[in-house]
Protein backbone atom coordinates (compact mmCIF):
# COMPACT_ATOMS: atom_id res chain seq x y z
CA UNK A 1 0.00 0.00 0.00
CA UNK A 2 1.40 3.41 -0.98
CA UNK A 3 1.63 6.49 1.21
CA UNK A 4 -1.29 8.87 1.46
CA UNK A 5 -0.71 12.62 1.25
CA UNK A 6 -0.70 15.75 -0.92
CA UNK A 7 1.43 17.43 -3.61
CA UNK A 8 1.14 21.22 -3.20
CA UNK A 9 -2.00 20.59 -1.20
CA UNK A 10 -3.66 18.47 -3.92
CA UNK A 11 -4.63 15.04 -2.51
CA UNK A 12 -2.85 12.04 -4.06
CA UNK A 13 -5.38 9.34 -4.99
CA UNK A 14 -3.00 6.59 -6.03
CA UNK A 15 0.68 5.86 -6.62
CA UNK A 16 1.97 3.47 -9.27
CA UNK A 17 5.34 2.40 -10.58
CA UNK A 18 5.93 2.51 -14.33
CA UNK A 19 9.45 1.43 -15.22
CA UNK A 20 11.78 3.85 -13.48
CA UNK A 21 9.05 6.43 -12.95
CA UNK A 22 6.72 6.75 -10.00
CA UNK A 23 3.30 8.04 -11.05
CA UNK A 24 1.21 10.06 -8.62
CA UNK A 25 -2.48 10.19 -9.54
CA UNK A 26 -3.93 13.43 -8.19
CA UNK A 27 -7.46 14.56 -7.47
CA UNK A 28 -6.90 17.85 -9.31
CA UNK A 29 -4.49 19.70 -11.60
CA UNK A 30 -1.04 20.69 -10.35
CA UNK A 31 0.52 24.03 -11.41
CA UNK A 32 3.93 23.81 -13.09
CA UNK A 33 7.08 24.42 -11.10
CA UNK A 34 8.48 23.31 -7.78
CA UNK A 35 6.28 20.90 -5.86
CA UNK A 36 6.11 20.22 -2.16
CA UNK A 37 4.94 16.80 -1.07
CA UNK A 38 3.40 16.07 2.28
CA UNK A 39 2.99 12.53 3.60
CA UNK A 40 0.08 11.73 5.92
CA UNK A 41 2.18 10.73 8.93
CA UNK A 42 -0.54 8.79 10.72
CA UNK A 43 -1.04 6.51 7.71
CA UNK A 44 2.73 6.25 7.13
CA UNK A 45 3.42 5.32 10.75
CA UNK A 46 0.63 2.73 10.69
CA UNK A 47 2.20 1.16 7.58
CA UNK A 48 5.63 1.22 9.25
CA UNK A 49 4.26 -0.58 12.31
CA UNK A 50 2.48 -3.25 10.23
CA UNK A 51 5.45 -3.76 7.86
CA UNK A 52 8.01 -4.06 10.62
CA UNK A 53 5.65 -6.23 12.64
CA UNK A 54 5.36 -8.53 9.65
CA UNK A 55 9.15 -9.00 9.60
CA UNK A 56 9.06 -9.77 13.33
CA UNK A 57 6.22 -12.24 12.98
CA UNK A 58 7.61 -13.96 9.87
CA UNK A 59 11.04 -14.17 11.56
CA UNK A 60 9.47 -15.65 14.68
CA UNK A 61 7.45 -18.19 12.67
CA UNK A 62 10.64 -19.17 10.85
CA UNK A 63 12.61 -19.61 14.08
CA UNK A 64 9.97 -21.21 16.30
CA UNK A 65 8.07 -23.33 13.77
CA UNK A 66 10.28 -23.55 10.67
CA UNK A 67 7.28 -22.01 8.89
CA UNK A 68 8.14 -20.07 5.76
CA UNK A 69 6.20 -16.92 4.87
CA UNK A 70 5.07 -17.18 1.24
CA UNK A 71 2.67 -14.24 1.11
CA UNK A 72 1.93 -10.92 2.78
CA UNK A 73 -1.15 -8.76 2.36
CA UNK A 74 -1.94 -5.43 3.95
CA UNK A 75 -5.20 -3.51 3.77
CA UNK A 76 -6.46 -0.51 5.68
CA UNK A 77 -8.09 -2.83 8.24
CA UNK A 78 -5.96 -5.92 8.56
CA UNK A 79 -2.73 -7.69 7.58
CA UNK A 80 -2.13 -11.32 6.77
CA UNK A 81 0.83 -13.58 6.12
CA UNK A 82 0.56 -16.94 4.39
CA UNK A 83 2.68 -19.68 5.93
CA UNK A 84 3.71 -22.85 4.13
CA UNK A 85 2.60 -25.18 6.94
CA UNK A 86 -0.26 -27.71 6.97
CA UNK A 87 -1.79 -26.46 10.25
CA UNK A 88 -1.21 -24.14 13.18
CA UNK A 89 -1.85 -25.04 16.82
CA UNK A 90 -2.81 -22.34 19.34
CA UNK A 91 0.08 -23.25 21.61
CA UNK A 92 2.56 -22.75 18.75
CA UNK A 93 0.95 -19.45 17.72
CA UNK A 94 1.37 -18.25 21.31
CA UNK A 95 5.07 -19.12 21.32
CA UNK A 96 5.58 -17.27 18.02
CA UNK A 97 3.72 -14.26 19.37
CA UNK A 98 5.82 -14.35 22.55
CA UNK A 99 9.07 -14.31 20.60
CA UNK A 100 7.97 -11.48 18.28
CA UNK A 101 6.91 -9.37 21.25
CA UNK A 102 10.09 -10.15 23.19
CA UNK A 103 12.05 -8.63 20.30
CA UNK A 104 9.71 -5.60 20.50
CA UNK A 105 10.29 -5.25 24.24
CA UNK A 106 14.07 -5.44 23.72
CA UNK A 107 13.74 -2.38 21.44
CA UNK A 108 16.34 -3.57 18.95
CA UNK A 109 17.61 -1.36 16.09
CA UNK A 110 16.06 -1.92 12.66
CA UNK A 111 18.51 -1.13 9.86
CA UNK A 112 18.20 -0.71 6.10
CA UNK A 113 21.22 -2.10 4.23
CA UNK A 114 21.78 -1.29 0.54
CA UNK A 115 23.93 -4.18 -0.72
CA UNK A 116 25.10 -5.74 -3.92
CA UNK A 117 23.43 -9.02 -4.65
CA UNK A 118 26.65 -10.85 -3.83
CA UNK A 119 26.98 -9.14 -0.45
CA UNK A 120 23.33 -9.73 0.34
CA UNK A 121 23.52 -13.42 -0.44
CA UNK A 122 26.27 -13.83 2.17
CA UNK A 123 23.75 -12.83 4.85
CA UNK A 124 21.37 -15.38 6.39
CA UNK A 125 18.39 -14.02 4.44
CA UNK A 126 15.11 -15.55 5.60
CA UNK A 127 13.85 -15.94 2.04
CA UNK A 128 15.22 -15.81 -1.49
CA UNK A 129 15.59 -12.16 -2.59
CA UNK A 130 14.27 -10.82 -5.92
CA UNK A 131 16.65 -10.85 -8.94
CA UNK A 132 18.10 -7.34 -8.60
CA UNK A 133 21.74 -6.11 -8.73
CA UNK A 134 21.29 -3.93 -5.66
CA UNK A 135 19.20 -5.19 -2.80
CA UNK A 136 17.59 -3.32 0.07
CA UNK A 137 17.83 -5.61 3.06
CA UNK A 138 15.99 -4.97 6.29
CA UNK A 139 17.98 -6.06 9.32
CA UNK A 140 16.42 -6.50 12.73
CA UNK A 141 19.61 -6.69 14.76
CA UNK A 142 20.40 -10.19 16.03
CA UNK A 143 17.06 -11.48 14.79
CA UNK A 144 16.23 -11.34 11.08
CA UNK A 145 17.46 -10.36 7.59
CA UNK A 146 15.01 -9.97 4.75
CA UNK A 147 15.07 -8.09 1.42
CA UNK A 148 12.26 -5.54 1.42
CA UNK A 149 11.36 -2.24 -0.21
CA UNK A 150 8.75 -1.10 2.30
CA UNK A 151 8.68 1.58 4.98
CA UNK A 152 9.74 0.44 8.44
CA UNK A 153 10.28 1.60 12.01
CA UNK A 154 13.80 2.43 13.19
CA UNK A 155 13.56 0.40 16.37
CA UNK A 156 11.41 -2.61 17.20
CA UNK A 157 9.91 -0.78 20.20
CA UNK A 158 8.06 1.56 17.81
CA UNK A 159 6.09 -1.40 16.46
CA UNK A 160 4.22 -1.82 19.75
CA UNK A 161 2.24 -4.97 20.41
CA UNK A 162 2.29 -7.69 17.74
CA UNK A 163 -0.93 -9.69 18.01
CA UNK A 164 -2.13 -12.68 16.03
CA UNK A 165 -5.89 -12.21 15.57
CA UNK A 166 -6.70 -15.57 13.98
CA UNK A 167 -5.89 -17.97 11.17
CA UNK A 168 -7.49 -20.13 8.53
CA UNK A 169 -6.41 -22.86 6.14
CA UNK A 170 -6.02 -21.63 2.54
CA UNK A 171 -5.21 -24.48 0.16
CA UNK A 172 -1.77 -25.79 1.25
CA UNK A 173 -1.04 -22.75 3.48
CA UNK A 174 -2.21 -21.23 6.72
CA UNK A 175 -3.25 -17.56 6.50
CA UNK A 176 -2.51 -15.70 9.73
CA UNK A 177 -4.21 -12.39 10.45
CA UNK A 178 -2.30 -10.02 12.71
CA UNK A 179 -2.36 -6.50 14.08
CA UNK A 180 0.49 -4.29 15.25
CA UNK A 181 0.81 -1.11 17.30
CA UNK A 182 -2.11 1.30 16.95
CA UNK A 183 -4.26 -1.32 15.22
CA UNK A 184 -3.67 -3.78 18.06
CA UNK A 185 -4.58 -1.09 20.59
CA UNK A 186 -7.83 -0.21 18.78
CA UNK A 187 -8.68 -3.88 18.40
CA UNK A 188 -8.01 -4.50 22.10
CA UNK A 189 -10.16 -1.47 22.96
CA UNK A 190 -13.36 -2.68 21.26
CA UNK A 191 -12.89 -6.29 22.36
CA UNK A 192 -12.37 -5.16 25.94
CA UNK A 193 -15.42 -2.90 25.80
CA UNK A 194 -17.51 -5.67 24.25
CA UNK A 195 -16.44 -8.31 26.81
CA UNK A 196 -16.96 -5.90 29.70
CA UNK A 197 -20.44 -5.01 28.44
CA UNK A 198 -21.43 -8.68 28.07
CA UNK A 199 -19.96 -9.63 31.44
CA UNK A 200 -21.75 -6.64 33.00
CA UNK A 201 -25.08 -7.86 31.61
CA UNK A 202 -24.53 -11.17 33.40
CA UNK A 203 -22.86 -9.65 36.49
CA UNK A 204 -19.86 -11.92 36.11
CA UNK A 205 -16.15 -11.45 35.44
CA UNK A 206 -15.13 -11.29 31.73
CA UNK A 207 -12.99 -14.40 32.24
CA UNK A 208 -16.13 -16.37 33.18
CA UNK A 209 -18.02 -15.41 30.01
CA UNK A 210 -17.15 -18.45 27.94
CA UNK A 211 -18.47 -21.11 30.37
CA UNK A 212 -21.44 -18.86 31.17
CA UNK A 213 -22.30 -18.54 27.49
CA UNK A 214 -22.11 -22.31 26.95
CA UNK A 215 -24.35 -22.86 29.97
CA UNK A 216 -26.88 -20.30 28.72
CA UNK A 217 -26.94 -21.86 25.26
CA UNK A 218 -27.58 -25.29 26.77
CA UNK A 219 -30.36 -23.89 28.97
CA UNK A 220 -31.88 -22.18 25.95
CA UNK A 221 -31.90 -25.44 23.98
CA UNK A 222 -33.35 -27.38 26.94
CA UNK A 223 -36.07 -24.79 27.45
CA UNK A 224 -36.93 -24.77 23.75
CA UNK A 225 -37.37 -28.54 23.87
CA UNK A 226 -39.53 -28.33 27.00
CA UNK A 227 -41.68 -25.55 25.51
CA UNK A 228 -42.31 -27.73 22.47
CA UNK A 229 -43.41 -30.64 24.66
CA UNK A 230 -45.69 -28.40 26.73
CA UNK A 231 -47.16 -26.82 23.61
CA UNK A 232 -47.98 -30.27 22.22
CA UNK A 233 -49.75 -31.06 25.46
CA UNK A 234 -51.59 -27.71 25.49
CA UNK A 235 -52.76 -28.18 21.89
CA UNK A 236 -54.16 -31.59 22.79
CA UNK A 237 -56.23 -30.09 25.64
CA UNK A 238 -57.26 -27.09 23.56
CA UNK A 239 -58.53 -29.44 20.85
CA UNK A 240 -60.48 -31.47 23.43
CA UNK A 241 -62.06 -28.29 24.82
CA UNK A 242 -63.04 -27.02 21.36
CA UNK A 243 -64.55 -30.40 20.48
CA UNK A 244 -66.56 -30.40 23.72
CA UNK A 245 -67.77 -26.83 23.17
CA UNK A 246 -68.92 -27.42 19.60
CA UNK A 247 -72.21 -29.13 18.91
CA UNK A 248 -72.44 -31.62 16.12
CA UNK A 249 -74.78 -30.40 13.40
CA UNK A 250 -75.75 -32.88 10.72
CA UNK A 251 -73.08 -35.52 10.27
CA UNK A 252 -70.14 -33.57 11.79
CA UNK A 253 -69.02 -30.75 14.08
CA UNK A 254 -67.60 -27.67 12.37
CA UNK A 255 -64.86 -25.76 14.15
CA UNK A 256 -64.03 -22.37 12.59
CA UNK A 257 -61.40 -20.19 14.28
CA UNK A 258 -59.29 -17.21 13.23
CA UNK A 259 -56.30 -16.48 15.50
CA UNK A 260 -54.83 -12.99 15.02
CA UNK A 261 -51.76 -13.52 17.25
CA UNK A 262 -50.70 -17.12 16.93
CA UNK A 263 -47.83 -18.79 15.18
CA UNK A 264 -49.04 -20.56 11.98
CA UNK A 265 -47.15 -23.73 13.01
CA UNK A 266 -49.04 -23.79 16.30
CA UNK A 267 -52.38 -23.42 14.51
CA UNK A 268 -51.40 -26.22 12.17
CA UNK A 269 -50.67 -28.39 15.23
CA UNK A 270 -54.11 -27.55 16.62
CA UNK A 271 -55.77 -28.55 13.32
CA UNK A 272 -53.98 -31.90 13.46
CA UNK A 273 -55.10 -32.51 17.04
CA UNK A 274 -58.70 -31.60 16.13
CA UNK A 275 -58.68 -34.04 13.20
CA UNK A 276 -57.92 -36.86 15.65
CA UNK A 277 -61.49 -36.51 16.97
CA UNK A 278 -64.01 -38.43 14.83
CA UNK A 279 -66.71 -36.39 13.09
CA UNK A 280 -64.69 -33.16 13.06
CA UNK A 281 -63.93 -30.55 10.40
CA UNK A 282 -61.51 -27.77 11.43
CA UNK A 283 -61.15 -24.64 9.31
CA UNK A 284 -58.50 -22.50 11.02
CA UNK A 285 -56.43 -19.45 10.18
CA UNK A 286 -53.50 -17.59 11.74
CA UNK A 287 -53.58 -13.94 10.70
CA UNK A 288 -50.51 -12.21 12.06
CA UNK A 289 -49.12 -10.51 8.95
CA UNK A 290 -50.95 -12.59 6.35
CA UNK A 291 -53.69 -15.20 6.39
CA UNK A 292 -52.29 -18.71 6.89
CA UNK A 293 -55.14 -21.16 6.38
CA UNK A 294 -55.21 -24.75 7.51
CA UNK A 295 -58.13 -27.12 6.85
CA UNK A 296 -58.28 -30.59 8.40
CA UNK A 297 -60.90 -33.28 8.90
CA UNK A 298 -61.07 -36.54 10.77
CA UNK A 299 -60.42 -39.79 8.89
CA UNK A 300 -64.06 -40.97 9.21
CA UNK A 301 -65.37 -38.13 7.00
CA UNK A 302 -65.21 -37.97 3.21
CA UNK A 303 -64.93 -34.22 2.49
CA UNK A 304 -62.15 -32.97 0.24
CA UNK A 305 -60.10 -30.36 2.14
CA UNK A 306 -57.86 -29.78 -0.90
CA UNK A 307 -60.84 -28.74 -3.03
CA UNK A 308 -62.23 -26.65 -0.17
CA UNK A 309 -58.87 -24.86 0.26
CA UNK A 310 -58.68 -24.10 -3.46
CA UNK A 311 -62.19 -22.62 -3.27
CA UNK A 312 -61.19 -20.53 -0.23
CA UNK A 313 -57.97 -19.07 -1.63
CA UNK A 314 -59.54 -18.30 -5.01
CA UNK A 315 -62.04 -16.08 -3.14
CA UNK A 316 -59.38 -14.07 -1.27
CA UNK A 317 -56.51 -14.04 -3.78
CA UNK A 318 -54.10 -16.58 -2.32
CA UNK A 319 -52.56 -19.96 -3.01
CA UNK A 320 -52.89 -23.33 -1.39
CA UNK A 321 -53.67 -27.02 -1.56
CA UNK A 322 -52.94 -30.38 0.01
CA UNK A 323 -54.48 -33.79 0.51
CA UNK A 324 -58.19 -34.71 0.88
CA UNK A 325 -57.88 -34.77 4.69
CA UNK A 326 -55.46 -31.86 5.19
CA UNK A 327 -54.69 -28.69 3.24
CA UNK A 328 -52.83 -25.42 3.78
CA UNK A 329 -52.97 -22.03 2.09
CA UNK A 330 -51.72 -18.48 2.27
CA UNK A 331 -53.48 -15.24 1.31
CA UNK A 332 -53.43 -11.52 2.04
CA UNK A 333 -55.32 -10.51 5.18
CA UNK A 334 -59.04 -10.08 4.63
CA UNK A 335 -61.47 -8.67 7.25
CA UNK A 336 -64.31 -11.18 6.80
CA UNK A 337 -62.27 -14.37 6.90
CA UNK A 338 -64.37 -15.88 9.72
CA UNK A 339 -67.55 -15.39 7.66
CA UNK A 340 -65.94 -16.95 4.60
CA UNK A 341 -64.72 -20.00 6.54
CA UNK A 342 -68.13 -20.47 8.19
CA UNK A 343 -69.90 -20.30 4.82
CA UNK A 344 -67.50 -22.83 3.29
CA UNK A 345 -67.93 -25.15 6.27
CA UNK A 346 -71.71 -24.94 6.20
CA UNK A 347 -71.60 -25.61 2.46
CA UNK A 348 -70.32 -29.10 3.28
CA UNK A 349 -73.63 -30.02 4.96
ZN1 LIG B 1 9.37 -4.86 4.95
Amino acid sequence: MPDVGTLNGVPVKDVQEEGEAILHVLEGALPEGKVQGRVDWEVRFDHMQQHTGQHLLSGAFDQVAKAMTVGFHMSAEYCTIDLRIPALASELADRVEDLANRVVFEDRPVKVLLLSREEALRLPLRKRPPDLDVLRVLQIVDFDYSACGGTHCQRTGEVGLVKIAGWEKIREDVRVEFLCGGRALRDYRWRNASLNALAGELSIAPRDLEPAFRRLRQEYADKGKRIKELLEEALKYEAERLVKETETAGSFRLIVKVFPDRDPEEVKGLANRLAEHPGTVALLAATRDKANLVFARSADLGFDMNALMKAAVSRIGGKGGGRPNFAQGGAPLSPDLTTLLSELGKGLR
Side-chain angles (χ1 to χ4, degrees):
M1 283 177 66
D3 271 319
V4 175
T6 57
L7 290 180
N8 276 8
V10 183
V12 176
K13 284 203 300 192
D14 194 17
V15 182
Q16 287 167 10
E17 267 185 288
E18 209 171 277
E20 296 278 287
I22 296 167
L23 300 182
H24 291 76
V25 183
L26 304 184
E27 276 184 15
L30 196 61
E32 274 184 42
K34 222 173 170 188
V35 164
Q36 195 186 28
R38 191 176 284 274
V39 163
D40 181 326
W41 176 247
E42 246 178 68
V43 173
R44 161 68 77 90
F45 188 62
D46 170 59
H47 290 182
M48 284 160 56
Q49 286 188 318
Q50 310 315 313
H51 261 290
T52 315
Q54 185 257 311
H55 286 263
L56 288 167
L57 203 57
S58 289
F61 265 113
D62 183 62
Q63 291 174 31
V64 174
K66 292 274 157 281
M68 189 172 60
T69 298
V70 293
F72 168 52
H73 175 78
M74 180 162 92
S75 77
E77 283 89 37
Y78 63 89
C79 295
T80 59
I81 50 173
D82 292 346
L83 300 166
R84 189 52 51 83
I85 42 170
L88 178 60
S90 302
E91 180 267 335
L92 186 63
D94 288 350
R95 272 164 54 207
V96 168
E97 217 174 60
D98 284 344
L99 175 58
N101 284 288
R102 203 177 77 209
V103 178
V104 170
F105 302 154
E106 286 167 3
D107 196 25
R108 297 191 198 181
V110 177
K111 293 179 182 170
V112 173
L113 315 171
L114 282 173
L115 305 169
S116 70
R117 189 172 176 78
E118 202 191 336
E119 287 171 317
L121 288 175
R122 278 202 289 268
L123 296 171
L125 295 178
R126 180 161 36 78
K127 59 174 187 188
R128 220 191 106 80
D131 286 326
L132 296 168
D133 295 336
V134 178
L135 287 169
R136 188 175 185 270
V137 173
L138 193 85
Q139 178 196 16
I140 297 171
V141 169
D142 293 334
F143 184 69
D144 190 59
Y145 288 96
S146 181
C148 183
T151 53
H152 306 90
C153 300
Q154 288 183 313
R155 302 190 70 89
T156 57
E158 291 171 36
V159 175
L161 183 68
V162 177
K163 184 75 195 85
I164 293 175
W167 59 88
E168 58 178 333
K169 185 109 179 83
I170 302 272
R171 291 176 294 277
E172 74 232 80
D173 301 328
V174 170
R175 178 163 294 171
V176 175
E177 190 183 326
F178 67 96
L179 305 137
C180 302
R183 293 191 188 194
L185 173 62
R186 288 191 294 277
D187 188 64
Y188 186 19
R189 190 172 285 152
W190 80 256
R191 285 176 198 272
N192 192 55
S194 176
L195 278 192
N196 284 347
L198 287 174
E201 290 275 332
L202 298 175
S203 304
I204 58 171
R207 275 179 200 278
D208 298 331
L209 263 179
E210 216 177 302
F213 173 76
R214 285 187 217 285
R215 205 170 51 241
L216 279 177
R217 199 169 57 177
Q218 187 58 50
E219 275 176 29
Y220 183 77
D222 292 346
K223 286 212 162 74
K225 197 167 154 252
R226 188 66 189 131
I227 285 170
K228 217 176 151 200
E229 288 165 5
L230 292 172
L231 186 63
E232 288 288 322
E233 199 71 2
L235 289 177
K236 202 177 98 187
Y237 285 112
E238 187 179 3
E240 277 170 18
R241 182 173 54 79
L242 285 171
V243 165
K244 261 184 219 148
E245 279 172 13
T246 315
E247 304 221 347
T248 300
S251 62
F252 64 97
R253 74 172 68 79
L254 174 65
I255 296 171
V256 170
K257 285 263 172 203
V258 174
F259 301 101
D261 282 318
R262 281 175 90 169
D263 178 51
E265 275 306 301
E266 203 178 299
V267 174
K268 185 178 152 189
L270 181 61
N272 277 319
R273 295 289 85 76
L274 286 168
E276 285 165 5
H277 295 268
T280 304
V281 172
L283 309 183
L284 311 182
T287 55
R288 214 182 261 167
D289 39 12
K290 60 177 255 198
N292 289 283
L293 309 179
V294 48
F295 296 176
R297 62 142 169 89
S298 52
D300 59 327
L301 301 174
F303 309 122
D304 186 356
M305 295 296 110
N306 177 43
L308 199 67
M309 180 59 76
K310 293 216 178 317
V313 291
S314 77
R315 294 261 295 268
I316 52 175
K319 275 184 189 166
R323 303 182 307 275
N325 64 329
F326 185 90
Q328 297 182 83
L333 291 174
S334 75
D336 43 4
L337 196 55
T338 312
T339 318
L340 170 71
L341 297 184
S342 300
E343 272 174 34
L344 286 167
K346 281 171 191 148
L348 295 171
R349 291 201 172 106

